[in-house]
Amino acid sequence: MAINKSDETAVLAAVKGVHDAWNKNDADLFVADYLDDASATLPGSYMESRGEIKGSIGFLFSGPMKGTGASEKVRNVRFLNDETAVVVTETGVLLPGESEAPPQRTSYATWVLAKRDDGWKIAAYCNSPMIGPGPQ
């Protein structure tokens, strides 16, 4: 399957938009490109809708993660067909003043995006800490 460069650009813009919103601590902007029935799976939590994702990130931005930012490194982009893309990123949680996150605050994330009439939207997100339990 030939990759359409404009689709790849749009897919990456949706993922970048989430990280940009995180850097602004803006929960509304964070979920702007999520489908209404999007899911998100993180260690210890599963959310089944855009509303649940917004509520969770809004809580974090107003408390435990207030003032944090996100670093982003795209590891892989694949198109499964003309309407489905999978992106793998390496994302770090940045504390104020940091430009790079340590491995303890870095995770690998898998994004599934679906093409809709209004552009590419995030259908599912899942992340895994870079450093797992046990000896390293």
Side-chain angles (χ1 to χ4, degrees):
M1 173 178 161
I3 295 175
N4 177 327
K5 265 314 210 192
S6 66
D7 279 337
E8 183 176 9
T9 299
V11 162
L12 292 174
V15 171
K16 184 177 183 320
V18 172
H19 290 108
D20 290 347
W22 185 343
N23 292 330
K24 296 175 184 174
N25 284 190
D26 185 327
D28 289 315
L29 191 56
F30 188 92
V31 297
D33 286 326
Y34 276 80
L35 292 171
D36 287 340
D37 63 349
S39 62
T41 307
L42 293 86
S45 80
Y46 172 68
M47 293 156 273
E48 296 183 294
S49 71
R50 179 181 173 188
E52 283 185 38
I53 296 165
K54 179 184 171 191
S56 177
I57 200 67
F59 166 78
L60 293 171
F61 286 163
S62 66
M65 295 181 74
K66 186 175 185 172
T68 63
S71 64
E72 168 195 352
K73 179 180 179 183
V74 175
R75 304 287 298 228
N76 186 276
V77 179
R78 290 182 302 151
F79 286 84
L80 304 181
N81 55 45
D82 292 340
E83 298 177 349
T84 311
V86 175
V87 178
V88 176
T89 60
E90 186 177 307
T91 303
V93 177
L94 302 172
L95 300 179
E98 288 183 328
S99 59
E100 188 175 327
Q104 297 85 347
R105 282 189 272 116
T106 302
S107 61
Y108 296 111
T110 301
W111 310 72
V112 178
L113 292 95
K115 190 173 189 177
R116 298 292 188 255
D117 290 338
D118 58 344
W120 285 91
K121 301 295 178 186
I122 300 162
Y125 171 85
C126 180
N127 84 22
S128 173
M130 180 181 274
I131 295 179
Q136 297 301 314

